[in-house]
Amino acid sequence: MKVAVVGATGLVGTKMLQVLTERNFPVTELLPVASARSVGKEIDFKGKKFKVVSMEDAIAAKPDVALFSAGGGTSLEWAPKFAEAGITVIDNSSAWRMDPAKKLVVPEVNAEVLTKEDKIIANPNCSTIQMVVALQPLHKKYKITRVVVSTYQSVTGTGVKAVEQLMNERKNLEGPMAYKYPIDLNVIPQIDVFLENGYTKEEMKMVNETRKIMQDDSIRLTSTTVRIPVMGGHSESVNVEFENDFDLDEVRQLLSDSPGITLQDNIQEQIYPMPLWAHEKDDVFVGRLRRDESQENTLNMWIVSDNLRKGAATNAVQIAEYLIANNLLS
């Protein structure tokens, strides 16, 4: 299979190449694509060197699938051109997520919506992906009515510049600032820009994307998204209200039996999800399960996942795997 990775030199693009290797994705020819200044540079993939090519050259090579992680503007301009050439695009930016004509997919939740006609498929926001993987089996069983989520998000979600800012601050070095404020020994309650309603774009992404993926506009959801000085993954405190009552042991069993979830919920041994455990893993880790004692039919849970893997690269590769397994690539 001929595969293009657009944005191959970035944080997520590099992770996509790693995940393709680890999951033995059937790549017979790789087309790494990046900005004009990177064309001609070499990258390593499975022990071989591949030269970075331009967008035009990638389209001319007619790959079967193109994994995009090059930002919204690039995707808006180039994804339709790939699609017009018959190439299936799986896009990691926010460009197409809320487009009613495009599918927004987390394979464990709603892969069945995909068809051969879907030439641009959107990969959801990282913080949304891990949450809906954990919510879906519970929604099926008890019907979710409301969700309150607060996130604790890794600097890797911002990109290389943010990682460098954190490391520079730890070494007391001057350097470029990805954030308005220091991030080391600090917490920044802003991810993306503020909107007119006082929420950030990231917070509203979680609200709108969750409803679209879970195909249920009746779910009421409110979100606070926060950046913390961590690198291994995003963490979320999630309060879930159900229409029907639940049994905690049954909740644990449901989560344990669901694909893509690792349950870490042993408070006697102080075992619970942390970015330390989730780093470089593809599962969504769930723990700290307990009833909300302030109201009926409500559960508290703690959800952690590697935002560069399941939150981005792995989810995109899993979509491609589903398309192959179900003969949906023309």
Side-chain angles (χ1 to χ4, degrees), residues 7-268:
T9 57
L11 260 187
V12 174
T14 304
K15 193 62 65 177
M16 282 174 171
L17 295 170
Q18 180 188 333
V19 171
L20 287 167
T21 302
E22 290 174 3
R23 295 176 75 91
N24 291 314
F25 192 86
V27 180
T28 51
E29 187 180 338
L30 178 72
L31 297 162
V33 188
S35 61
R37 67 180 178 274
S38 296
V39 169
K41 287 183 182 175
E42 288 189 333
I43 64 152
D44 287 309
F45 180 72
K46 290 192 171 181
K48 294 180 186 173
K49 301 274 188 191
F50 291 85
K51 281 198 171 172
V52 173
V53 301
S54 68
M55 293 284 196
E56 292 88 352
D57 288 345
I59 293 170
K62 290 282 178 78
D64 300 283
V65 65
L67 304 178
F68 267 58
S69 188
T74 301
S75 182
L76 284 170
E77 181 183 355
W78 287 98
K81 295 176 183 178
F82 276 74
E84 282 161 22
I87 302 157
T88 299
V89 172
I90 301 168
D91 179 51
N92 193 56
S93 80
S94 60
W96 305 101
R97 289 175 187 159
M98 295 313 297
D99 183 329
K102 304 292 185 289
K103 308 290 172 56
L104 182 66
V105 176
V106 177
E108 295 92 337
V109 179
N110 68 332
E112 73 282 352
V113 300
L114 291 168
T115 70
K116 258 189 179 173
E117 284 66 53
D118 294 312
K119 287 298 173 195
I120 299 176
I121 301 163
N123 211 35
N125 185 39
C126 46
S127 49
T128 305
I129 289 174
Q130 67 188 70
M131 184 173 71
V132 297
V133 167
L135 291 183
Q136 180 67 4
L138 303 179
H139 185 48
K140 276 186 180 174
K141 181 74 179 175
Y142 309 112
K143 187 160 176 36
I144 293 169
T145 57
R146 184 170 188 254
V147 177
V148 181
V149 54
S150 299
T151 73
Y152 307 73
Q153 294 181 222
S154 161
V155 293
T156 56
T158 307
V160 174
K161 190 176 175 183
V163 174
E164 288 172 353
Q165 178 184 332
L166 174 60
M167 291 298 107
N168 284 339
E169 287 170 4
R170 296 222 160 147
K171 296 170 188 167
N172 212 20
L173 298 173
E174 293 288 326
M177 299 276 284
Y179 306 114
K180 183 178 178 179
Y181 302 103
I183 185 62
D184 192 30
L185 300 177
N186 194 24
V187 165
I188 301 174
Q190 177 189 355
I191 298 179
D192 214 324
V193 296
F194 284 104
L195 304 173
E196 282 185 13
N197 63 358
Y199 287 81
T200 65
K201 205 169 174 183
E202 180 89 354
E203 288 159 354
M204 294 315 298
K205 281 179 194 173
M206 292 195 76
V207 173
N208 298 322
E209 291 179 23
T210 297
R211 290 175 181 154
K212 183 172 178 179
I213 297 161
M214 296 180 71
Q215 301 170 71
D216 191 340
D217 286 338
S218 73
I219 296 172
R220 293 171 297 139
L221 193 145
T222 188
S223 170
T224 303
T225 58
V226 179
R227 191 71 69 189
I228 64 169
V230 162
M231 288 195 4
H234 293 346
S235 305
E236 298 172 349
S237 170
V238 184
N239 179 270
V240 195
E241 184 181 348
F242 300 105
E243 191 172 285
N244 303 301
D245 200 9
F246 58 88
D247 175 79
L248 264 178
D249 287 334
E250 187 177 49
V251 166
R252 290 188 182 96
Q253 195 61 52
L254 270 173
L255 293 168
S256 293
D257 293 345
S258 297
I261 294 175
T262 293
L263 188 68
Q264 291 184 320
D265 191 46
N266 185 341
I267 54 173
Q268 286 73 31

